[in-house]
Amino acid sequence: MKTADPELMRAINRLNVLDTVRRYGPIARVEISERTQLSTTTVSAITASLLDDGLILPRHEGDIRNEAARGRPRVMLELNPDAARVVGAKIAASRMVFVVTDFRGDVLSNLTLPIRIDRQPIGVIADLVEDGVRRCVVDAGLSLEDVDSVCLSLPGVIEHRTGHIRSSPIFRDVNVDFAAEMTARLNTSTIVESDAHAITLAHHWFGKARDLEDMVLISLEQTLGLGVLHGNQLFRGAGGLSHNLGDLVLGMGPLGIVRLSSQAGESEILGEQPAGGRFAEAIRLGRGMAHAQALIKAEDNALISAAIRAGEAVGVAVANIVTLFAPPRVILVGSSLALGEHFLASLRSAYALAIPPSLKGVAELVFDDSTDDFWAQGAAAVALYELYESPWNTTGPAL
Amino acid sequence: MKTADPELMRAINRLNVLDTVRRYGPIARVEISERTQLSTTTVSAITASLLDDGLILPRHEGDIRNEAARGRPRVMLELNPDAARVVGAKIAASRMVFVVTDFRGDVLSNLTLPIRIDRQPIGVIADLVEDGVRRCVVDAGLSLEDVDSVCLSLPGVIEHRTGHIRSSPIFRDVNVDFAAEMTARLNTSTIVESDAHAITLAHHWFGKARDLEDMVLISLEQTLGLGVLHGNQLFRGAGGLSHNLGDLVLGMGPLGIVRLSSQAGESEILGEQPAGGRFAEAIRLGRGMAHAQALIKAEDNALISAAIRAGEAVGVAVANIVTLFAPPRVILVGSSLALGEHFLASLRSAYALAIPPSLKGVAELVFDDSTDDFWAQGAAAVALYELYESPWNTTGPAL
DNA sequence: TTATTTAATTCGCATTCCGACAAAAATAAC
DNA sequence: GTTATTTTTGTCGGAATGCGAATTAAATAA
């Protein structure tokens, strides 16, 4: 257990204030005091220190005051966008998406590389990632020295704490210390995180879970992932392990184990397509779901039944997750949502059937089809959060 | 978020020291300092305060010293057993078990009431519980005024934080504020907790998880419960909700939803027995599993196949839990373990099939058939933990 | 009897947060 | 235009905390 000393105390309160400024910024000191339950004295001291470190700024321009406002006007504080830059990335099987954001998480530049990297050797992938990061940083008018941290998000089982990729559908090798590899290549602090966790934080910071401190997110992509937010924090399993939902067992059929991935995995939904055909080509390029959507509109029966089957499987899985975590909201994201109403309807009805009566109405189902940029922005948020936590001026006490 | 002030700091460190004394006591101050990473100065100050409050005692008698020990001898510290008394209880459908423990969690007296309370009105159950607590306290040679806290553990969905019983197989009513009801009746601070959580803490304190800070426990009784230990703490869901594993969906059969409880619930395993028969009578008295064990030994084919079916279902469920939490150990407890080798073997093989290859070997399966007393002792531990946490001398600073 | 070794305590310092008060900066009243 | 009022922000001293250095305590070894 971590020992509680004054330093930890300050770290906690600093993070608390900083995060309050992030969430509710521009915000006056008095309001920070109200929200954090810290005394105005303490808030003043901490904000002074944060101002001194250049992490926040007083807002002068456009002092919006109420008409009837009396007394000394509030000085609004907000994050200093220029306090840091980070890179967030979503690495998927058929594309990589990079964003550079400022200290607030606002996107400065983005870059999509539509490259199929499936099962390439680690060196090739690392080359491509390195290239993407560098190009995106240049696009933002920056140099890598200006970047404080990089967070790469990928599908699979990612051990954030150690930087290892235990297993990922896009890696041929297992148990790669990708964080160390990329830190060395970029000469910039680099961390890794599950893509599901990244999009979970994205929704907590910018999306459909800003108002919640507990929720669950399920990502339906090539891999099926899970993110659990618990008390405003990502719930990382025992060893920082992420969850691989696709491995969940839905039943023991006559042919053996039926896993969720075999019903709702991207490749299983799309099925075997004749090589060289237009559909197969679309899949190879990562446009499989978009193509499937078009085919479903044209009433392709095989695809429609696959979508329905997948929806049922996911609906049951979601119900099981809700049974375990009882979150107030479940957000579903990922490319499979593009399958359309057949998929969603069967998902909803399977969920309604599978959810135990006692939990009926506890969890709200929300569907979200964000762009890949949003995922990458979430990865950036992971990097930013670690910056917020890190002690900035370890060089002696605050003045 | 809780604001970090010196008071919180002290509370954290006090709890840390106290818990270290509990776990490793009798223990010298130097060793506490090593284990907690607190300075010897701080440990001295905190232990002085704990001694002052009478929560710990120096051990004089039988100073076991190493032969070759030089220097000033260590003063061993241990919990003061008389610092507090608590009552822990396991309330099940066909019996109630009470224990009175001292501050260390050692059992002073125990009492089993083999009463069937299934679905009785709340008043009747409360009467019986009140009676049991009072009798067990008297058995320990105490009066209720000597008891600092009572913790009642029951099956079902229990909201520990608010003291409400959301739903329980032994309650006719739902959403009962049982903690308030019993606090009023006993005139003693009373809390409620899921029985699965109680036995989870029992294993962490006294049983097969003393060495772990993360683990998962699955209880197989009338109700199927789950306890998750995360960082030495019980993981309580969003609203302090407990988990009801029986509601997990294992598959969509031709007859609709197949829930775990329909395969592995106690009543489903034992099946419909002819009313008035010996078996039915045994079930009514809570001896169903013992009876079943005897029948299985006598090669009752219906029961054997039920046991095998249940084992398969539980094995799959355990694999799914492991997929989500990746704990280093899973402890299985509960009356259903009495089904014997057929059940265990099919559980193990289903687990081996269902566990994803990447997680093979991550979790160790441990079976435990503790007495009901152990469950009740776990409930007592829940009560004790809250005492450890609570600020003892809010009356001014330490001297 | 003296030196050595280990454990525990005392003392002073740095840090934290907080309450009371004072300064700052605006509007409202005259 | 000057003064009073209101609200926000900063300053100062107090209380509590943990830590490092030095000191005391209590035993064995020489």
Side-chain angles (χ1 to χ4, degrees), chain A residues 99-149:
Chain A
V99 298
V100 173
T101 81
D102 59 25
F103 195 56
R104 297 181 41 185
D106 288 346
V107 175
L108 301 178
S109 71
N110 56 2
L111 171 68
T112 300
L113 299 182
I115 314 172
R116 173 144 219 93
I117 56 164
D118 220 28
R119 305 272 171 191
Q120 294 285 342
I122 168 116
V124 175
I125 297 178
D127 273 347
L128 290 166
V129 171
E130 182 183 347
D131 205 47
V133 171
R134 289 185 186 278
R135 276 170 60 185
C136 197
V137 168
V138 169
D139 286 354
L142 299 172
S143 143
L144 254 182
E145 281 101 63
D146 304 320
V147 172
D148 297 86
S149 184

Side-chain angles (χ1 to χ4, degrees), chain A residues 1-15 389, chain B residues 1 4-5 8-9 12-13:
Chain A
M1 195 179 178
K2 215 172 172 183
T3 151
D5 52 12
E7 196 180 334
L8 175 70
M9 206 160 105
R10 182 170 112 226
I12 292 174
N13 288 332
R14 262 180 77 111
L15 174 60
E389 279 187 309
Chain B
M1 195 179 178
D5 52 12
L8 176 72
M9 204 160 106
I12 291 174
N13 288 333

Side-chain angles (χ1 to χ4, degrees), chain A residues 13 243 249-250 259 320 324 354, chain B residues 4 243 249-250 259 320 324 354:
Chain A
N13 288 332
H243 324 270
V249 172
L250 292 177
R259 294 195 191 277
N320 280 347
L324 291 177
Chain B
H243 325 272
V249 172
L250 292 179
R259 293 195 193 278
N320 280 348
L324 291 177

Side-chain angles (χ1 to χ4, degrees), chain A residues 310-326:
Chain A
E312 275 172 11
V314 173
V316 170
V318 172
N320 280 347
I321 301 281
V322 170
T323 301
L324 291 177
F325 291 101

Side-chain angles (χ1 to χ4, degrees), chain B residues 4-42:
Chain B
D5 52 12
E7 197 180 334
L8 176 72
M9 204 160 106
R10 179 166 119 230
I12 291 174
N13 288 333
R14 260 181 78 111
L15 174 60
N16 206 340
V17 168
L18 194 55
D19 203 55
T20 303
V21 173
R22 177 189 70 76
R23 291 184 70 162
Y24 305 102
I27 183 176
R29 291 175 176 78
V30 247
E31 201 185 331
I32 297 175
S33 167
E34 284 163 14
R35 286 197 185 276
T36 60
Q37 303 281 35
L38 291 158
S39 73
T40 60
T41 309
T42 305

